[in-house]
Amino acid sequence: MARFSPYWLWLVLALPAFGMVAGLVEGNDPKIYHQLLHPTGEFAARFTIIAMLASPLALIFKGWRGPLWLKKNRRYFGVAAFFYAIAHTVFYVIDAATLTKVIAELPKLYIWTGWLAFAIFIPLGVTSMDYFVRVMGPRWKTLQRWTYAAAALTLLHWASLHNWEGLAPALVHFGPLIVLEAYRIWYWYLRPRPARAA
């Protein structure tokens, strides 16, 4: 199977950021950091979802090139999600303007879920390099399973925004992943299996 150059893949993953950077460089709108909160957060969620879709899609479409390619390259999508999450967090802090405001908002559901998701993403992103895969061995996969917790928190963070106005768009994005992961759980743990011969 032909391998898509990682350099081209990185370019594709960086495309959403180009427009954001252009807006920052122009610097004409004082609300630019607030305006960039949603796109950076959405792309962080989207790339996380794409990375997580790899395994259930490969299970359903066995042998198909698309899911196999995605499974091979999902770390790139995960790292891209991490960088968009960093940008999202930085823009939030800048938009808040003061540490007092940041701390005051922590008890809100859509705030602390976002911070907790980001805290989980940090070790996942830092250990995404091949070096850590080799050094950590089986522990690397154990750590990466925390992606599910980060994704669940991201869904809750997005859905609870502005008195749950974010519920519909969050479910539109996460719905396919939820369905496919439910199928994956059914396939491996719940589906009827033929009885073994004595």
Side-chain angles (χ1 to χ4, degrees):
M1 183 170 64
R3 184 176 176 84
F4 188 50
S5 169
Y7 298 107
W8 287 108
L9 181 54
W10 277 122
L11 179 63
V12 171
L13 295 174
L15 284 176
F18 292 153
M20 302 176 195
V21 171
L24 285 172
V25 171
E26 289 175 5
N28 296 326
D29 191 344
K31 295 182 179 179
I32 185 64
Y33 295 108
H34 182 76
Q35 292 169 357
L36 290 175
L37 278 175
H38 289 294
T40 50
E42 286 177 7
F43 276 105
R46 286 167 186 161
F47 288 139
T48 299
I49 292 166
I50 292 172
M52 294 180 71
L53 284 172
S55 292
L57 286 176
L59 176 64
I60 295 171
F61 302 105
K62 293 178 181 177
W64 283 34
R65 290 190 173 188
L68 291 176
W69 175 87
L70 182 58
K71 197 170 182 179
K72 228 176 179 183
N73 294 279
R74 60 184 165 189
R75 261 196 291 163
Y76 293 106
F77 289 91
V79 172
F82 176 55
F83 279 107
Y84 281 100
I86 290 174
H88 180 66
T89 305
V90 170
F91 292 152
Y92 165 72
V93 172
I94 294 173
D95 183 59
T98 66
L99 181 61
T100 303
K101 185 176 179 181
V102 172
I103 294 173
E105 289 187 331
L106 277 177
K108 296 178 180 178
L109 178 63
Y110 68 89
I111 295 295
W112 69 259
T113 49
W115 277 112
L116 190 52
F118 181 62
I120 294 172
F121 271 126
I122 292 174
L124 298 179
V126 170
T127 59
S128 63
M129 295 179 290
D130 290 337
Y131 168 79
F132 287 102
V133 178
R134 292 193 304 269
V135 170
M136 294 180 68
R139 290 176 298 166
W140 186 84
K141 280 193 174 182
T142 302
L143 176 63
Q144 292 300 311
R145 290 193 183 101
W146 279 91
T147 306
Y148 294 99
L153 286 164
T154 301
L155 170 59
L156 192 54
H157 168 66
W158 192 350
S160 59
L161 281 170
H162 310 302
N163 296 317
W164 296 94
E165 288 180 11
L167 179 60
L171 288 178
V172 167
H173 283 79
F174 279 91
L177 177 62
I178 293 170
V179 171
L180 289 173
E181 285 294 347
Y183 171 80
R184 190 178 173 205
I185 292 170
W186 173 84
Y187 182 88
W188 287 117
Y189 303 106
L190 302 175
R191 70 185 173 108
R193 299 176 186 273
R196 292 182 180 180

